[in-house]
Amino acid sequence: MTPLLKVEGVTKRYGARLGCGDVSFDLWPGEVMGIVGESGSGKSTLLSCLAGHLAPDAGRVIFDTRAEGPRDVLALSEPERRMLARTDWAFVHQNPRDGLRMGVSAGGNVGERLMAVGARHYGDIRETAIDWLGRVEIAADRVDDRPRAFSGGMQQRLQIARNLVTGPRLVFMDEPTGGLDVSVQARLLDLLRGLVRQMGLSAVIVTHDLAVVRLLADRLMVMKGGHVVESGLTDQVLDDPQHGYTQLLVSSVLQV
Amino acid sequence: MIEIRDLSKSFVLHNQGSAVIPVMAGASLSVARGECVALVGNSGAGKSTLMRMIYGNYLAQDGAIRVGDLDVAQAEPRQILALRRHVLGYVSQFLRVVPRVPTLDVVAEPVLAAGGSTEAGLDRARDLLARLNIPERLWSLSPTTFSGGEQQRVNIARGFAHDFPALLLDEPTASLDATNRAVVLDLIREAKTRGAAILGIFHDAEAREAVCDREVDVTAFTPARAA
């Protein structure tokens, strides 16, 4: 078995400031990796580098593509990378407005990704879109409404449906449950866990919510000042943290 | 099945003057298939710590923890994940689940994680919940709202849902009434019969007598305190 994603020494600088430095890890099929750290620790920079939104200054990101086996994502041509982003990859933004087309209906948002990979039959596309809206618990009668008419939690679920409809193998998520109230958050977590298991998804999730990573992530990386200070099994890192910063992070969580 | 050699562990508290607290040294024990071994010792002696190290929840400083073919002390995270899915089960004292997930799904999950079908998982879950006297009307509710004893029984059902070849039990009979305790003891006996290696913490001496083949006193593994 080969890793789905192999990250080697990814470094990104903003002028003299370090975004993220020398990050390496392997992600295996079906694994969910959490990345935690305070804001400014380089989590989102790293995620953007991995997803090809940002060009790192050094390092390699090797993805095991369906057709051609392991390829360096950073060396792909722009059209190749776009194709990858539409088929094997998905990116769930923290703010659903960044991941949705706000002027297009909910069904259109889901259908667009299908059309991007070649679906042409209107009836099929609509049917698939309604099926996916159902899976993320959006009623079928809302299929023609625009996302603007949706609540924040519904928008986030719509974004997830739009991203997963093409059956990606790797999902990048930037604070997927940030800004949602806890009851919606719980339902979203359950939904994501079910999808990860049913579809065999791998995912990289950036968050600052330790409770979310405990429930969702198999493995955890802790970042501080652009560097990974600790990594391991999620429950091991949270229950027996080795680095001073992780110990501080874990002991700072308020108990409910 | 479970084989521990010269295991040691200390906690370093970086934010509290870098205090180093040694909690275990030279721990060795083994559990064969079909055997149930009880960890005994006073509270704070390191029983739960040892269990958590076997499960890969705590890191070991030194020594070896062999479960099946894998040395947990040296293994990669994904190897430990696979071990937990297929080989090693753990019933902790506390239930930790995604809120709002029905009890039936919570209990069935280990079966699905090990590659079983949804049908098989749900059948097994119904069977176990009924045996552990969780009323059927509660099955579709999330266990987060249940009483302490009910939560513990759900946790036990979950732990026994998949037929793990090795099991860690952290006080499986605490806070249970006599009827349910008998059910749990039966489950442990059945697991032994099918060849599972079981390591448990039982404060309840009667339960220990009933199912355990021998005892290991962890006080022997407690490092001498430099007072």
Side-chain angles (χ1 to χ4, degrees):
Chain A
M1 203 160 76
T2 47
L4 187 66
L5 190 72
K6 203 170 172 58
V7 178
E8 293 172 353
V10 167
T11 303
K12 173 73 188 172
R13 296 180 177 281
Y14 298 108
R17 210 182 299 271
L18 182 71
C20 62
D22 199 19
V23 178
S24 302
F25 68 89
D26 289 347
L27 185 73
W28 297 80
E31 257 181 4
V32 179
M33 163 86 94
I35 303 175
V36 297
E38 60 200 350
S39 55
S41 60
K43 320 184 285 279
S44 296
T45 297
L46 174 62
L47 197 67
S48 298
C49 286
L50 299 182
H53 296 175
L54 209 58
D57 299 320
R60 301 205 299 163
V61 178
I62 295 160
F63 179 74
D64 187 13
T65 60
R66 251 183 267 224
E68 293 166 66
R71 296 277 311 264
D72 188 347
V73 173
L74 305 170
L76 292 179
S77 67
E78 189 56 29
E80 282 180 310
R81 190 153 57 223
R82 277 169 169 274
M83 195 58 198
L84 200 58
R86 280 199 297 250
T87 53
D88 271 358
W89 286 8
F91 197 104
V92 177
H93 294 265
Q94 176 171 13
N95 187 338
R97 283 181 193 82
D98 296 335
L100 290 173
R101 301 240 270 142
M102 299 305 283
V104 174
S105 72
N109 263 289
V110 178
E112 189 183 39
R113 244 181 95 104
L114 285 171
M115 289 192 279
V117 295
R120 287 293 176 267
H121 187 280
Y122 177 79
D124 289 349
I125 292 172
R126 190 177 167 88
E127 202 174 299
T128 310
I130 289 175
D131 173 47
W132 267 92
L133 291 180
R135 288 202 218 185
V136 297
E137 301 176 25
I138 295 175
D141 63 356
R142 302 296 300 271
V143 65
D144 295 318
D145 290 351
R146 297 196 177 167
R148 210 168 279 135
F150 287 2
S151 69
M154 280 173 80
Q155 287 179 359
Q156 191 60 290
R157 280 179 276 143
L158 178 61
Q159 192 193 183
I160 289 173
R162 173 182 160 95
N163 270 287
L164 297 185
V165 67
T166 49
R169 293 191 296 152
L170 177 60
V171 187
F172 299 101
M173 297 192 222
D174 192 358
E175 302 273 6
T177 59
L180 299 178
D181 74 70
V182 285
S183 64
V184 177
Q185 193 175 315
R187 188 147 55 152
L188 204 61
L189 285 178
D190 180 35
L191 174 76
L192 286 174
R193 253 168 60 128
L195 292 172
V196 165
R197 197 181 50 222
Q198 288 156 21
M199 302 175 63
L201 288 180
S202 300
V204 180
I205 299 179
V206 162
T207 180
H208 57 249
D209 190 333
L210 297 182
V212 167
V213 289
R214 189 187 277 277
L215 291 174
L216 215 51
D218 304 310
R219 288 165 56 198
L220 188 62
M221 289 200 311
V222 182
M223 291 189 73
K224 180 175 168 56
H227 293 281
V228 175
V229 296
E230 184 166 358
S231 65
L233 278 176
T234 302
D235 58 297
Q236 181 262 305
V237 172
L238 294 178
D239 292 340
D240 186 17
Q242 306 293 308
H243 190 273
Y245 173 67
T246 319
Q247 294 186 351
L248 185 67
L249 201 67
V250 171
S251 62
S252 305
V253 175
L254 301 175
Q255 298 286 326
V256 183
Chain B
M1 189 67 203
I2 303 175
E3 184 94 37
I4 296 172
R5 283 283 159 265
D6 284 328
L7 194 61
S8 64
K9 164 95 193 146
S10 50
F11 291 109
V12 182
L13 307 177
H14 292 285
N15 300 302
Q16 294 176 46
S18 292
V20 178
I21 303 170
V23 290
M24 195 165 292
S28 297
L29 67 86
S30 69
V31 186
R33 285 175 204 278
E35 190 181 32
C36 178
V37 174
L39 291 178
V40 294
N42 296 332
S43 152
K47 301 185 293 292
S48 293
T49 302
L50 182 55
M51 288 258 234
R52 281 164 170 254
M53 284 163 81
I54 298 171
Y55 198 58
N57 180 233
Y58 282 179
L59 280 184
Q61 243 85 42
D62 214 6
I65 308 167
R66 208 154 257 294
V67 181
D69 308 322
L70 190 68
D71 183 358
V72 176
Q74 307 287 335
E76 297 280 320
R78 68 186 187 93
Q79 294 175 303
I80 297 181
L81 289 169
L83 184 81
R84 289 178 179 183
R85 267 196 301 272
H86 300 286
V87 180
L88 183 64
Y90 177 45
V91 177
S92 68
Q93 290 184 69
F94 306 101
L95 184 67
R96 192 172 245 150
V97 293
V98 179
R100 301 178 62 183
V101 177
T103 300
L104 208 52
D105 294 347
V106 166
V107 176
E109 204 200 349
V111 178
L112 308 190
S117 69
T118 311
E119 266 317 294
L122 291 176
D123 281 348
R124 180 80 177 140
R126 282 186 206 105
D127 182 38
L128 281 165
L129 288 171
R131 278 186 73 180
L132 286 157
N133 302 306
I134 304 281
E136 196 168 341
R137 64 194 152 78
L138 298 181
W139 294 0
S140 58
L141 307 177
S142 164
T144 44
T145 53
F146 290 6
S147 75
E150 283 165 345
Q151 287 198 6
Q152 202 194 351
R153 277 179 277 150
V154 171
N155 213 10
I156 290 166
R158 192 178 147 86
F160 281 91
H162 174 62
D163 285 337
F164 288 107
L167 266 174
L168 304 171
L169 307 174
D170 195 345
E171 300 218 34
T173 55
S175 80
L176 292 186
D177 57 53
T179 324
N180 285 311
R181 202 184 61 173
V183 176
V184 174
L185 294 180
D186 274 344
L187 285 171
I188 296 175
R189 281 191 203 100
E190 284 166 25
K192 281 172 68 177
T193 311
R194 68 169 166 80
I198 301 174
L199 187 64
I201 301 172
F202 302 88
H203 273 304
D204 168 5
E206 262 177 65
R208 201 158 62 214
E209 302 267 298
V211 292
C212 294
D213 302 302
R214 56 197 170 87
E215 294 180 1
V216 171
D217 190 345
V218 297
T219 321
F221 310 145
T222 314
R225 310 252 154 156

